[in-house]
Amino acid sequence: MAIEGDNTAQLSTFSMIKEVLKLNSTLNTKFTDAKYYEFEPNMKSLSFGSLPFIVINVPSTETDLLVVTNSTTIKDYTIVLELLISFDARSKFTEYSNAIIKQLEDLTSTTTFEASGFYNTEIDLVDTNVNEIIQEKPVIRGTFELKFDVNINRD
C-alpha cells in the first residue's frame, strides 16, 4: 500500500525512468539521451539516429482505491518499455535486457521511484519478437512491463 501524501505528476514518467536507466553502466555506454523515446520513432525519418533504442511509453492506469483520503487515490500503473535492437546485434539483446531489469529493480531506483510516489515496483520481460521487420530492417523487440502502485493527490 502506498503512503499518503506523496506528489506525483500522473503521466510524467518518461524522464524519471530514462534517468534511472542511465545510471546503469551497460546502458549508459550505448544509450545516450537520443536513444530514449516516449513514442516509437519513424526509422525512415532523416532525424532518426540508429538502432538500438528504448521506448518508454505513456503509462496505462487503473484505479485501485477510489479514495484513500479526501485528497489521495491509489492507481496501478503499467508502463510498457520496448528495447529495439538490430537483428545483426542480437548477441547484445540479453545483455541489454538484463541491464534494464537489474537497474529498474535496484534499491537506488526504487528509492527514486518512491520519492516520486511510485511504490511496489515490478519489472517483467513479457515478450521477445525476433522476427520483426520495421521499415525493411530486421529487428528484435523486447517488451517489458514496469508496474507501480501510485499515489495521486486529488488536489
Side-chain angles (χ1 to χ4, degrees), residues 2-3 6 9 23 39 43 77-78 80-81 86 97-98 103 114 128 130 136 144 149 152:
I3 299 170
D6 291 310
L23 295 173
F39 303 97
M43 291 173 50
Y77 271 38
T78 301
V80 174
L81 286 81
S86 167
S97 294
N98 284 335
Q103 188 59 42
E114 288 175 2
T128 303
V130 297
E136 302 174 14
F144 302 82
D149 292 333
I152 304 296

Side-chain angles (χ1 to χ4, degrees), residues 110-121:
T110 56
T111 301
T112 299
F113 296 146
E114 288 175 2
S116 297
F118 294 79
Y119 298 88
N120 302 325
T121 306

Side-chain angles (χ1 to χ4, degrees), residues 20-72:
V20 163
L21 290 174
K22 287 172 49 182
L23 295 173
N24 183 279
S25 59
T26 299
L27 298 174
N28 197 26
T29 57
K30 188 63 178 175
F31 295 90
T32 62
D33 279 347
K35 296 285 190 168
Y36 291 91
Y37 296 91
E38 193 165 10
F39 303 97
E40 189 167 325
N42 178 352
M43 291 173 50
K44 285 188 176 181
S45 168
L46 293 175
S47 64
F48 176 72
S50 63
L51 293 166
F53 61 85
I54 296 172
V55 179
I56 303 167
N57 290 286
V58 174
S60 61
T61 65
E62 182 177 320
T63 302
D64 252 3
L65 300 172
L66 189 55
V67 176
V68 176
T69 68
N70 288 334
S71 62
T72 305

